[in-house]
């Protein structure tokens, strides 16, 4: 392999490396955004779940303050 050929290969590798470093940074940024979004969704879902449990307890209070256990009520037959 000649000197000129090695210079071209080294330049191509440097360019590819620069491109890959930029892509990794972009993907890390997107991962950070996705994790932030997921945390927000988790908080929203948790808040909504708590609200549903509260509303269920208000509309169907358990006798003597006992917990309903969160299961489905059995249908009377």
């Amino acid at each position: 392999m000649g000197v000129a050929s090695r210079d071209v290969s080294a330049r191509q590798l440097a360019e590819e490396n620069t491109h890959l470093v930029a892509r990794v940074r972009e993907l890390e940024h997107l991962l950070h955004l996705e994790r932030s979004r997921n945390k927000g969704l988790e908080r929203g879902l948790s808040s909504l779940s708590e609200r549903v449990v509260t509303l269920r307890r208000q509309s169907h209070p358990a006798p003597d303050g006992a917990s309903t256990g969160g299961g489905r009520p059995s249908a009377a037959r």
Side-chain angles (χ1 to χ4, degrees), residues 9-38:
S9 293
R11 190 174 340 116
Q12 288 174 338
L13 289 173
E15 289 173 3
E16 183 178 359
N17 190 47
T18 299
H19 171 75
L20 292 173
V21 166
R23 181 66 176 145
V24 167
R25 286 186 183 142
E26 178 187 3
L27 291 172
E28 286 173 339
H29 175 69
L30 293 173
L31 178 61
H32 174 74
L33 293 176
E34 188 65 22
R35 285 181 174 163
S36 295
R37 179 178 170 271
N38 286 345

Side-chain angles (χ1 to χ4, degrees), residues 39-50:
K39 285 180 185 176
L41 291 172
E42 287 174 12
R43 283 192 301 271
L45 181 59
S46 176
S47 180
L48 181 59
S49 295
E50 290 172 9

